[in-house]
Amino acid sequence: MQIEKYKIQAHNDSLLAAHRRRIENSVSEIKDTEDIIQKLIDFQVAIPSWALGTGGTRFGRFSGGGEPRNLEEKMEDIGLLHSLNQSGGAISLHIPWDIPKNIASVKALAAQFGLRFDAMNSNTFQDQPGQEHSYKFGSLQHVNKAVRQQAIDHNIEVIRHGVDLGSESLTVWLADGSCFPGQLNFRKAFQNTLESLKEIYAALPDNWKIFVEYKAFEPNFYSTTVGDWGQSLLYANKLGPKAYTLVDLGHHLANANIEQIVSLLLMEGKLGGFHFNDSKYGDDDLTVGSIKPYQLFLIFNELVEGMEAKGMNHNTDLGWMIDASHNVKDPLEDLLQSIEAIMLSYAQSLIVDRKALAAAQENNDVTAAQEILQNAFRTDMRAIVAEARLRSAGALQPLALFRELKVRENLIKERGLKTIATGL
């Protein structure tokens, strides 16, 4: 299903008068709104191919129907989302869940929907049908060289698919680790993983990057071989200039200072990108900004400050992607909410008074520094974000239009109630 432009235009026309009042008020109070709006127009967030179906937990999965049955239908859903908000113009594929059967037709479909291919994602945390060796006790870290080679070969295959599609990066997330003391030799596991990553790194095209993702726990609960940003940074530094750390907001122990982590990684030139989600307890994969919106703003505050200090392009110099699993929500509605939260936090970070904040920091004026950040966070940027969508031919209220047009009901009519998307 695709949404015709005239329906978006009709939706916007019905809301335009009220929007004009709100945007005029915002422009009168907020400085440099034209520059902010252009940055919002340029900023794009990738949607992973596995996020279009209903997610689940170890205890159950409750499909809402109308799920995409193949890669082409997943791209169609992302194209639908992008037509509504004009901020989700990229797709990130997970191999082997979404191996393109016909590269030419998949690329043509992406062009039709205005999508580019973001980072490719490998999978060595599951055993696939017909797989010779099991990853039960790890992949790139495994004590058996044959298992390690199988995982290396898979990652190189993923790179080849990415080259065909025009992607320029590979994300490696490892479930490798141990559940019990004594199960694993930590040093050997690290060294095996590093040697495996070196072989994958050697297969990267010149213009490619590799992102090493980390996670504190799960599915292994005693140790993980890439357990935190320090271990990821070690790998990235040892691999070379094309290797970077990738930060998933849910992959930290409780109360970790993620904003400090991203600031230091940016300073070192080793921050590759983000997987956005939210959490209350662990890797909950909840809607972005639904639990800790202030933390999301603080992270963007450090990102903007760090990128500006290095003269980086906000949209293209880092990878931005949503990584969430939806069990009780319509996944398309969840993605619309997540992108809105990202755009709002980004917009709020753009209005922080940097000079005043720097002066407060130099003078140890703790109260003033807090006020500067919280004033930006409490500024209503919804009209500014909506104006960026309007100028890009998106919908003023994407979620409202999604429901008004009964998108999920129409998808169920097209695809059926019992369809299940590939992935977890």
Side-chain angles (χ1 to χ4, degrees):
M1 175 185 175
Q2 287 300 290
I3 299 174
E4 296 88 344
K5 291 182 179 179
Y6 78 87
K7 292 181 179 177
I8 295 176
Q9 184 62 54
H11 162 84
N12 289 342
D13 288 346
S14 69
L15 300 171
L16 200 55
H19 170 70
R20 287 296 175 219
R21 290 193 295 272
R22 286 193 291 270
I23 193 65
E24 287 173 9
N25 182 61
S26 294
V27 168
S28 69
E29 295 184 356
I30 299 168
K31 297 179 181 179
D32 302 320
T33 52
E34 285 301 315
D35 181 58
I36 293 170
I37 290 168
Q38 188 57 55
K39 282 185 168 67
L40 291 168
I41 290 171
D42 294 339
F43 197 82
Q44 297 293 313
V45 182
I47 308 297
S49 60
W50 63 92
L52 286 309
T54 305
T57 69
R58 289 177 293 161
F59 303 103
R61 186 177 186 275
F62 305 97
S63 175
E67 294 188 10
R69 297 162 290 188
N70 49 51
L71 174 57
E72 288 76 14
E73 289 185 352
K74 291 180 179 184
M75 293 173 66
E76 180 182 316
D77 283 3
I78 295 174
L80 185 154
L81 292 173
H82 188 49
S83 69
L84 287 170
N85 59 31
Q86 292 298 314
S87 299
I91 178 173
S92 185
L93 298 191
H94 213 301
I95 306 299
W97 296 342
D98 293 301
I99 296 177
K101 295 178 181 178
N102 185 312
I103 294 293
S105 65
V106 167
K107 290 176 73 174
L109 192 63
Q112 176 186 333
F113 296 143
L115 305 177
R116 63 175 177 83
F117 288 93
D118 198 70
M120 303 293 290
N121 300 265
S122 59
N123 183 335
T124 60
F125 54 86
Q126 289 178 321
D127 288 349
Q128 305 298 328
Q131 181 176 310
E132 183 177 359
H133 303 289
S134 175
Y135 295 134
K136 179 177 180 179
F137 296 109
S139 58
L140 298 183
Q141 76 167 27
H142 205 284
V143 294
N144 185 337
K145 172 61 178 174
V147 180
R148 299 199 300 273
Q149 191 61 53
Q150 176 180 269
I152 292 165
D153 292 342
H154 166 69
N155 277 276
I156 293 173
E157 176 195 355
V158 174
I159 293 171
R160 293 196 190 105
H161 287 303
V163 169
D164 290 340
L165 293 169
S167 174
E168 294 183 350
S169 55
L170 168 70
T171 296
V172 177
W173 173 70
L174 299 175
D176 294 14
S178 63
C179 281
F180 297 96
Q183 176 185 336
L184 195 67
N185 182 298
F186 296 141
R187 288 184 296 103
K188 287 182 180 179
F190 184 93
Q191 291 162 352
N192 284 343
T193 303
L194 178 60
E195 292 304 313
S196 299
L197 286 171
K198 283 181 177 178
E199 291 194 44
I200 298 166
Y201 186 90
L204 290 173
D206 291 341
N207 63 328
W208 270 55
K209 299 176 181 178
I210 183 171
F211 300 145
V212 182
E213 190 172 358
Y214 60 89
K215 189 176 185 183
F217 64 92
E218 193 186 40
N220 283 288
F221 289 92
Y222 178 64
S223 73
T224 44
T225 300
V226 195
D228 56 33
W229 70 280
Q231 293 174 66
S232 174
L233 181 59
L234 267 177
Y235 285 118
N237 282 335
K238 290 176 181 293
L239 289 172
K242 294 187 287 186
Y244 298 83
T245 290
L246 185 138
V247 176
D248 184 306
L249 299 189
H251 285 191
H252 303 83
L253 295 174
N255 301 316
N257 193 327
I258 302 173
E259 51 267 39
Q260 184 178 22
I261 293 170
V262 302
S263 175
L264 297 178
L265 287 171
L266 259 178
M267 180 182 71
E268 292 298 303
K270 282 297 185 180
L271 180 62
F274 277 84
H275 283 181
F276 288 105
N277 46 54
D278 211 338
S279 65
K280 179 69 174 177
Y281 299 106
D283 188 22
D284 303 340
D285 274 353
L286 300 177
T287 310
V288 181
S290 61
I291 304 294
K292 303 170 186 172
Y294 190 49
Q295 181 191 58
L296 182 64
F297 160 75
L298 293 174
I299 290 168
F300 264 109
N301 173 61
E302 295 299 334
L303 285 168
V304 168
E305 192 275 337
M307 288 189 291
E308 288 295 309
K310 286 182 168 287
M312 296 170 66
N313 184 299
H314 292 193
N315 181 40
T316 59
D317 285 351
L318 293 178
W320 313 100
M321 194 191 85
I322 294 170
D323 184 7
S325 177
H326 327 284
N327 198 15
V328 297
K329 275 186 180 177
D330 182 314
L332 295 180
E333 292 190 347
D334 185 283
L335 287 165
L336 287 171
Q337 289 182 312
S338 288
I339 290 179
E340 180 77 357
I342 291 168
M343 300 305 285
L344 284 171
S345 290
Y346 176 46
Q348 289 166 335
S349 71
L350 292 172
I351 65 169
V352 172
D353 189 334
R354 301 279 161 203
K355 290 182 179 179
L357 182 58
Q361 291 166 342
E362 288 297 320
N363 292 313
N364 294 314
D365 192 338
V366 182
T367 301
Q370 177 183 327
E371 287 296 298
I372 291 163
L373 287 181
Q374 291 190 341
N375 283 340
F377 175 67
R378 290 166 177 159
T379 300
D380 188 352
M381 298 296 287
R382 287 177 295 180
I384 300 292
V385 172
E387 178 67 15
R389 278 197 302 271
L390 182 66
R391 295 189 189 183
S392 302
L396 281 171
Q397 296 182 13
L399 182 57
L401 182 57
F402 179 93
R403 290 193 163 193
E404 177 186 322
L405 296 178
K406 300 185 182 301
V407 172
R408 180 54 60 186
E409 290 88 336
N410 282 298
L411 288 174
I412 291 173
K413 288 178 183 178
E414 288 179 13
R415 300 170 182 172
L417 188 60
K418 300 297 183 181
T419 59
I420 297 177
T422 56
L424 288 173

